[in-house]
Amino acid sequence: MGFMDKLKSKFKQNEETEDVSQKYQEGMKKTRHSFSGKLNDLIARYRKVDEDFFEELEEVLITADVGVTTVMDLVEELRMEVKRQNIKDTNGIKDVISEKLVEIYYGNDNEEIEKLNIQQEGLSVILVVGVNGVGKTTSIGKLAHQLKKQGKNVVLAAGDTFRAGAIEQLEIWGERADVPVIRQNAGSDPAAVIFDGIKAAKSRRADVLICDTAGRLQNKVNLMNELSKVKRVIEREIPGAPQEVLLVLDATTGQNALSQAKTFSEATDVSGIVLTKLDGTAKGGIVLAIRNELKIPVKYVGLGEQVDDLQVFDANAFVYGLFADIATED
Amino acid sequence: MAFEGLADRLQSTIKKITGKGKVSEQDVKEMTREVRLALLEADVNFKVVKDLIARIKERAIGQEVMESLTPGQQVIKVVKEELTTLMGGEQSKIAVADRPPTVIMMVGLQGAGKTTTTGKLANLLRKKHNRKPLLAACDIYRPAAIKQLETLGEQLDMPVFSLGTEAEPVDIASRAIEKAKEEHHDYVIIDTAGRLHVDTDLMEELQQIKATVKPDEIFLVVDAMTGQDAVNVAESFNEQLDITGVVLTKLDGDTRGGAALSIKAVTDKPIKFAGMGEKLDQLEAFHPERMASRILGMGDVLSLIEKAQSNVDEKQVKELEEKMRTMSFTFDDFLEQMGQVKKMGPLDDLMAMIPGANKMKGLKNAQLDDKQLSQVEAIIQSMTKKERQDPSIINGSRRKRIAKGSGTSVSQVNRLIKQFSEMKKMMKQMTNMQKGKKGKGGFNLPF
Ligand SMILES: Nc1nc2c(ncn2[C@@H]2O[C@H](COP(=O)(O)OP(=O)(O)OP(=O)(O)O)[C@@H](O)[C@H]2O)c(=O)[nH]1
Ligand SMILES: [Mg+2]
């Protein structure tokens, strides 16, 4: 079954999916129109599969920050596929392109991986990490709100003791989501704050503890060591925790995101990505390469600054999003 | 790994050409293809790359490259020249208004680093230019943004003007200026909330502030890690606000920073400053030609050399070399060396400037961490004078004493002594090698 058909049938089968992707679309409304048929538009403009077509495809994908190696490989594969199947017009290549893109994203894994790993019984810990300013604290606020709405008992730990105003920022998000925030004074040891957070979460019989951390650039060895230490404290206190280590990536980031994913994984064994700021014009295409090379899935996307602007990641919608601007050009 | 520098990328093509005697048009094509890939991998915008490549190709196909004996190096030279030209000269001046206060407005996307840069800029104005700035807290949207600026104000011991989160940003800005006049501040730096360039309401708010306070400078703050979207952001902010300059932040990271080229290409406004760390004194003048090397993956070697030069004394270096050669290098010398390295700043920062250093396995595992350095220091300081001169006398009981005195363990002491003797051996080999090469040594550029 072709990709388009798969997508359509998925929507028919599953109302929940439809709901999610509608929200997703709404979030992207500012700059994007409905995603259906984005690829169709590229295809409609080129009747023949020729070098110009491939060149534009290349351009579209590179402009979405997919990464030059990934794009070159993909387009090369497509060229071969076109030869092999003797495809002449662009209609025939449609499915091949979208399937290849989704294949890059999923590899051979199943699709269930997006789900957040929260235990039914006992405390689950989510550690949130990333470079400066990507949206860690905001995403924590949104996530807390979402989990709370699902009936979970949530506690936040203000592990960013370094950046000015960071603790107060998390406290405001705690109020918005109506969940308690465990904190110490600015400048105290982050591992100690997290330790406190675990104790408090346990005594409150919380379901989820979400730990904020200070933003840090991945090439700072000291700071990365500090992060590993925080993770070790969690591991020591609760066997099997942290259940999730979420790396927050800014969709505006270019190829450096791959280096971020690599280094943060080495330090904290990242289990999933939150891709923020997709409400802007950046596409965050680098997550394709990250998923492909490092097998780290995107779990959530950030689509704004409000408490509701966090959505579960939808790979299909995302792949279409990469082509969004082509349709709007005409 | 995907991120090779341009020099690595050109290696295979250059190898093919070497010995052929003549460079063909096809060879040049292949080289410019590699240049294109290198620039794209460095996050230079697609369209900007296209234009650049067209110019580079033109020059390369001309005699400059094709008739050169070292076509690879020529290509790199041409590319570097084109990049440097595009990026323009150095311009880190800040406007001065005829009638004070001079007003600077900081704008940009969310999370770019506006507030921190506001603090850094204020610090720079006071320290370097002897000014007395007032900071204005106009980010009423992000939770605790005002608190963040106020904390920075406290750290700098500088006043921050705010009216809480209920006032309109325009009013906060204009009242801040009134206050600056009353209290004789010669600069007002307005910190605004981060916003998307496509958010029409919030962009209008900036235009309103601009119309009301008539700023002398509008700095667009951009994250150096920005990808292809940098052109949209910069173009849009520039169109709507006619910015006067750019500050590139987080350049202490390991990003290539191709966004710098993209921004300059679409706005033609100077990149004035570079954010080099989270501390408030880590704002530096932007150096276009160094940025060109960095984008091409040649590392920020120049900054490193400059740092070394400003901290290391020539004479000491000569003495050290002599000691290394004659094997009379002692723990005392070692201690002194460490002091020098420390003066150059946090080790992480230094490592980040060496091309490829963060990719070298050995270096990474060596875990150059400032805490370990202080431990090493403590161990050496716990040695007697004699022990420092002649480590061979350090027996078991002495080791125990040293460990106790420095708050470390015997195995840590053992390790250091072993490392020291290995280092001495290595130094000897290295100095011998350098002598063979005759005066070359030092920093070798990777091409
Ligand atoms: N438009 C948009 N803005 C976002 C999104 N997520 C976060 N932001 C904004 O990005 C800015 C930085 O977010 P923070 O949550 O403070 O980022 P952080 O990673 O915690 O930052 P540090 O703790 O300073 O490293 C804030 O202005 C947020 O409102 C998003 O999905 N869309
Ligand atoms: Mg934060």
Side-chain angles (χ1 to χ4, degrees), chain B residues 382-443:
Chain B
S382 299
M383 294 177 185
T384 64
K385 218 172 167 152
K386 259 209 174 132
E387 287 165 350
R388 290 189 213 173
Q389 300 290 331
D390 181 12
S392 66
I393 62 167
I394 309 180
N395 58 18
S397 66
R398 283 176 191 256
R399 282 171 205 231
K400 254 189 224 151
R401 194 207 72 238
I402 294 169
K404 220 171 155 197
S406 57
T408 57
S409 65
V410 173
S411 69
Q412 273 172 303
V413 176
N414 287 341
R415 206 179 316 140
L416 179 66
I417 294 173
K418 193 163 163 241
Q419 275 171 352
F420 182 76
S421 77
E422 271 167 18
M423 200 174 99
K424 255 172 101 167
K425 268 187 239 149
M426 217 167 73
M427 278 180 174
K428 180 144 198 261
Q429 281 171 1
M430 259 165 60
T431 41
N432 287 344
M433 246 159 62
Q434 286 218 339
K435 262 200 308 195
K437 266 201 198 163
K438 233 177 207 151
K440 229 191 150 196
F443 292 97

Side-chain angles (χ1 to χ4, degrees), chain A residues 58-59 62 65 68 132 163-164 218-222 252 254-256 259-260 262 277 281 305, chain B residues 1 36 41 43 46 110 142 147-148 197 225 227-229 250 252 254 278 348-349 352 369-370:
Chain A
E58 213 177 276
E59 182 173 334
I62 286 177
D65 287 318
V68 68
N132 314 75
R163 208 210 62 199
Q218 71 275 17
N219 59 339
K220 313 261 164 161
V221 179
N222 286 345
T252 328
Q255 302 306 299
N256 193 252
S259 151
Q260 290 171 26
K262 260 195 192 129
K277 308 186 193 174
T281 47
E305 299 187 79
Chain B
M1 242 316 267
R36 176 171 173 265
E41 267 175 4
D43 288 325
F46 195 89
Q110 291 98 336
R142 209 206 64 196
K147 170 80 189 173
Q148 184 186 358
H197 53 293
M225 296 178 275
Q228 296 286 318
D229 202 40
K250 308 178 201 173
D252 50 325
D254 62 4
E278 294 187 74
D348 280 3
D349 292 359
D369 129 357
D370 296 301

Side-chain angles (χ1 to χ4, degrees), chain B residues 303-341:
Chain B
S303 292
L304 188 67
I305 294 174
E306 195 174 70
K307 264 207 162 139
Q309 278 170 345
S310 65
N311 285 294
V312 178
D313 168 349
E314 276 293 315
K315 212 177 102 218
Q316 281 179 335
V317 173
K318 282 241 168 68
E319 276 173 19
L320 182 71
E321 236 174 290
E322 180 63 24
K323 279 182 179 157
M324 276 159 73
R325 218 162 30 79
T326 55
M327 286 283 273
S328 61
F329 187 77
T330 67
F331 266 120
D332 274 322
D333 300 319
F334 188 53
L335 208 57
E336 194 178 300
Q337 272 293 293
M338 276 178 49
Q340 301 244 351
V341 172

Side-chain angles (χ1 to χ4, degrees), chain A residues 132-138 163 169 215 277 279 302 304-305, chain B residues 110:
Chain A
N132 314 75
V134 285
K136 291 175 292 299
T137 309
T138 310
R163 208 210 62 199
Q169 185 187 1
K277 308 186 193 174
D279 47 330
E305 299 187 79
Chain B
Q110 291 98 336

